[in-house]
Amino acid sequence: MTLQILPVTGLPEIDADSDLAALIAKAATYRDGDVLVVTSKIVSKAEGRVLRATDREAAIDAETVRVVARRGPVRIVENRNGLVMAAAGVDASNTAPGTVLLLPEDPDASARALRVRLQQLTGLRLAVVLTDTFGRPWRNGLTDVAIGAAGLPALEDHRGRTDSHGNELAMTVTATADELAAAADLVKGKATGTPVAVVRGLGHLVTAEDGEGARPLVRASADDMFRLGTSEALRQAVTLRRTIRAFTPEPVDPGAVRRAVDAAVTAPAPHHTTPWRFVLLESAEVRTRLLDAMLAAWQRDLRELDGWDDARIARRTARGDVLRDAPYLVVPCLVTDGSHDYPDARRAAAEREMFTVAIGAAVQNLLVTLAGEGYGTAWVSSTMFCRDTVRAALDLPAGWDPMGAVAVGRPAEPPRERPARSAAAFVEVR
């Protein structure tokens, strides 16, 4: 098989009055089975996707559905077609001053329309790939990728086949359309003014039907392990850190909890101390023993100290069901070893508060990290009201003060939406 990549030269400047397919058809001689690789910018111009805009950032905002990562003025975003790229594909190059160029509204539809017209004009069986320039995570430099396609499969699935050594391929799916886009860019490009190339010799890829287009190249969010930049991932984890009241019975990965504890113990603490201990209740028997002991202590105190009747006690203690129903519990404990011993009550109270703030920061790290692992949590204060009972049930040292309990598990349902909360209401500037 001989493979050729040929530039299509001599195309004029394209605008909204141009018959792009006719211009491409006249610019070169084509053969049956050719793949025409077309820079999306000229398709955008032919479709009138030129926007007069003095503020490129506003144009990017309009095309963005999700910010993936941001560093200074640079934004990697997801656009309306699910493409993750710099600046939503809004381009201020190769367009008149005072204007910006947007990507085609539906690149696959544009590829199909261009293919239909080219096949009518040439009488040949052709495929069309629309491209744009992308950066890539972990790699320097830019390359063209397919954002629209018609007449060929964008992906080639090799799973189930065997390699030259007889090993079955289990993961290999080739991004054929992206390979064609990158190869064609070797003979075209912005600087040369050659927006179209022909890839010849791959006629076996060209199909009678338009096919699914380039959409299969876009990774589904559920399969995307690198969906967000670092700061965005942290912000999303903080947002996802919601109190969850119902969990599925799916077991919790103990390794995920230990990774969360690794993050928890990086919290700031006074006097270079490590005032945290995390008791991980991985045994259902231990969880039940603790919760039964706590329930008995609560019932006794509410009856004897508060004078509540049984019905009211039952309603109050039912709040603990979130702990009983969770498949995993963590009991964070405060240890004040290393605290200063002040003789006056005022400074002694402040010293205790410093340590309490430290464990609050540690627990927040724990909750956010678990949210990043896909787990829901509920931090419940009940162990703080019966510390002696908890210490006895879990055989903890006398100096360990339980600071609530964290229920961990997969959420049984998504948390309800809540309105955005502006920081302005909580900020005072002096």
Side-chain angles (χ1 to χ4, degrees), residues 324-408:
R324 197 172 290 274
D325 295 340
Y328 198 106
L329 296 181
V330 178
V331 179
C333 294
L334 174 63
V335 177
T336 56
D337 295 347
S339 63
H340 294 172
D341 186 14
Y342 290 107
D344 65 288
R346 177 181 58 82
R347 288 190 293 168
E351 182 78 1
R352 168 79 182 189
E353 287 173 358
M354 285 199 306
F355 280 77
T356 303
V357 168
I359 196 165
V363 173
Q364 177 73 346
N365 284 3
L366 179 91
L367 303 181
V368 169
T369 305
L370 287 170
E373 296 266 3
Y375 289 106
T377 57
W379 187 13
V380 180
S381 62
S382 54
T383 68
M384 299 170 68
F385 292 86
C386 51
R387 284 177 169 145
D388 288 340
T389 299
V390 175
R391 281 190 284 260
L394 298 180
D395 193 24
L396 301 180
W400 289 26
D401 283 347
M403 302 296 286
V406 179
V408 184

Side-chain angles (χ1 to χ4, degrees), residues 217-248:
L217 292 165
V218 178
R219 192 185 300 275
S221 60
D223 301 325
D224 189 353
M225 294 177 65
F226 311 101
R227 187 166 169 76
L228 297 169
T230 303
S231 59
E232 288 71 26
L234 178 59
R235 279 195 291 271
Q236 179 159 308
V238 170
T239 302
L240 291 174
R241 197 231 50 77
R242 302 278 296 277
T243 297
I244 301 299
R245 299 292 180 185
F247 302 94
T248 72

Side-chain angles (χ1 to χ4, degrees), residues 95-350:
T95 186
T99 66
V100 295
L101 197 57
L102 310 180
L103 291 177
E105 191 166 356
D106 183 342
D108 281 330
S110 298
R112 290 192 293 268
L114 187 58
R115 182 193 189 217
V116 167
R117 180 86 170 113
L118 284 167
Q119 291 190 140
Q120 289 172 344
L121 292 170
T122 64
L124 300 171
R125 181 177 57 98
L126 304 172
V128 171
V129 175
L130 299 191
T131 71
D132 197 49
T133 304
F134 273 49
R136 298 151 300 152
W138 310 292
R139 305 285 286 182
N140 288 321
L142 304 173
T143 187
D144 265 22
V145 302
I147 66 169
L152 54 76
L155 295 172
E156 185 175 4
D157 193 344
H158 297 270
R159 290 173 296 183
R161 303 179 191 177
T162 55
D163 63 18
S164 58
H165 295 281
N167 301 309
E168 183 175 336
L169 300 175
M171 300 293 290
T172 305
V173 180
T174 301
T176 305
D178 280 349
E179 291 180 328
L180 289 166
D185 200 43
L186 294 171
V187 299
K188 59 186 187 71
K190 290 182 179 182
T192 63
T194 306
V196 181
V198 176
V199 178
R200 182 167 294 160
L202 297 175
H204 64 282
L205 294 177
V206 180
T207 58
E209 301 79 18
D210 286 331
E212 296 182 85
R215 187 69 193 180
L217 292 165
V218 178
R219 192 185 300 275
S221 60
D223 301 325
D224 189 353
M225 294 177 65
F226 311 101
R227 187 166 169 76
L228 297 169
T230 303
S231 59
E232 288 71 26
L234 178 59
R235 279 195 291 271
Q236 179 159 308
V238 170
T239 302
L240 291 174
R241 197 231 50 77
R242 302 278 296 277
T243 297
I244 301 299
R245 299 292 180 185
F247 302 94
T248 72
E250 179 184 344
V252 171
D253 174 17
V257 179
R258 284 161 175 76
R259 290 191 292 273
V261 174
D262 286 343
V265 299
T266 65
H271 316 317
H272 305 289
T273 59
T274 54
W276 328 277
R277 303 294 184 271
F278 292 89
V279 185
L280 310 183
L281 306 189
E282 297 180 348
S283 161
E285 177 191 359
V286 172
R287 292 196 298 272
T288 300
R289 183 173 73 237
L290 170 66
L291 295 175
D292 286 349
M294 288 173 57
L295 176 61
W298 271 87
Q299 289 171 332
R300 182 189 64 246
D301 288 349
L302 292 172
R303 184 176 293 110
E304 297 178 0
L305 301 180
D306 298 301
W308 288 15
D309 60 29
D310 289 345
R312 190 177 181 187
I313 291 172
R315 288 195 299 272
R316 177 63 183 85
T317 55
R319 298 179 189 177
D321 287 349
V322 65
L323 298 178
R324 197 172 290 274
D325 295 340
Y328 198 106
L329 296 181
V330 178
V331 179
C333 294
L334 174 63
V335 177
T336 56
D337 295 347
S339 63
H340 294 172
D341 186 14
Y342 290 107
D344 65 288
R346 177 181 58 82
R347 288 190 293 168

